[in-house]
Amino acid sequence: MGRYLSPPLQRLFDRLAVADQRHSLDVLYALQEKGYKDRDLLAAALLHDVGKTGTTLHLWQRVAIVLLQATWPALLDELAWGDPANWRYAFYIQREHPEIGARLAQENGASPLTVELIRRHQVPLRQPSGSLEDKFLRVLQEADGVG
Ligand SMILES: [Fe+2]
Ligand SMILES: [Fe+2]
């Protein structure tokens, strides 16, 4: 893992909750299994959810997010509230973590490609342009289960 993350980025990864670290490693392994070796892509695999640092979701919040994403994404959006003391903060983080994570990664020296992959990882890729970034985004999303 240290092969893909500089010390500042490694420290960022370490701030993730254990469950999110586990998930990020699963995404990394899935990509490695498919033969991907690109450093920028594999760093994005490890850091894509790093915008969730400092939040521990309750199980019911995780379940609600998954259910609402599948059935009623607009409600998920409505529920988002940017106050960490409020239970609705979990839904805010769900919506904003790509942007927050991209900023954190950038501030800690991640490459522009890694930063863009983090920023875009929750947005479905409707019309891939054929660029390397879109190709990587697609495989990252597949490994992440976003579709
Ligand atoms: Fe995510
Ligand atoms: Fe993820």
Side-chain angles (χ1 to χ4, degrees):
M1 201 165 53
R3 280 184 293 156
Y4 308 118
L5 300 181
S6 63
L9 292 175
Q10 179 67 49
R11 280 194 288 279
L12 210 52
F13 178 86
D14 292 342
R15 279 165 51 191
L16 277 170
V18 173
D20 291 326
Q21 290 188 9
R22 180 71 255 164
H23 161 69
S24 305
L25 285 168
D26 286 342
V27 174
L28 171 76
Y29 298 148
L31 291 172
Q32 285 179 323
E33 228 160 74
K34 289 185 177 166
Y36 289 100
K37 294 188 172 71
D38 184 274
R39 241 186 101 113
D40 293 326
L41 173 63
L42 297 180
L46 288 168
L47 298 174
H48 72 282
D49 279 335
V50 89
K52 294 181 178 177
T53 49
T55 49
T56 317
L57 297 194
H58 295 290
L59 181 62
W60 73 266
Q61 288 170 320
R62 286 181 189 273
V63 171
I65 285 168
V66 171
L67 287 178
L68 288 175
Q69 262 171 348
T71 58
W72 200 356
L75 178 61
L76 198 55
D77 212 42
E78 288 280 293
L79 284 171
W81 196 258
D83 171 8
N86 193 291
W87 61 270
R88 289 162 63 183
Y89 189 63
F91 303 108
Y92 171 80
I93 289 295
Q94 179 56 32
R95 190 182 66 189
E96 301 296 326
H97 76 272
E99 197 57 48
I100 297 169
R103 212 171 52 229
L104 283 171
Q106 191 170 32
E107 285 165 6
N108 285 278
S111 76
L113 180 52
T114 298
V115 170
E116 278 318 297
L117 290 170
I118 295 170
R119 176 171 286 127
R120 297 175 61 200
H121 83 270
Q122 296 277 149
V123 182
L125 195 55
R126 301 244 182 264
Q127 280 175 332
S129 68
S131 68
L132 184 67
E133 185 178 309
D134 280 6
K135 183 184 164 216
F136 281 171
L137 187 64
R138 165 153 295 182
V139 294
L140 176 65
Q141 290 181 336
E142 268 167 24
D144 190 27
V146 174

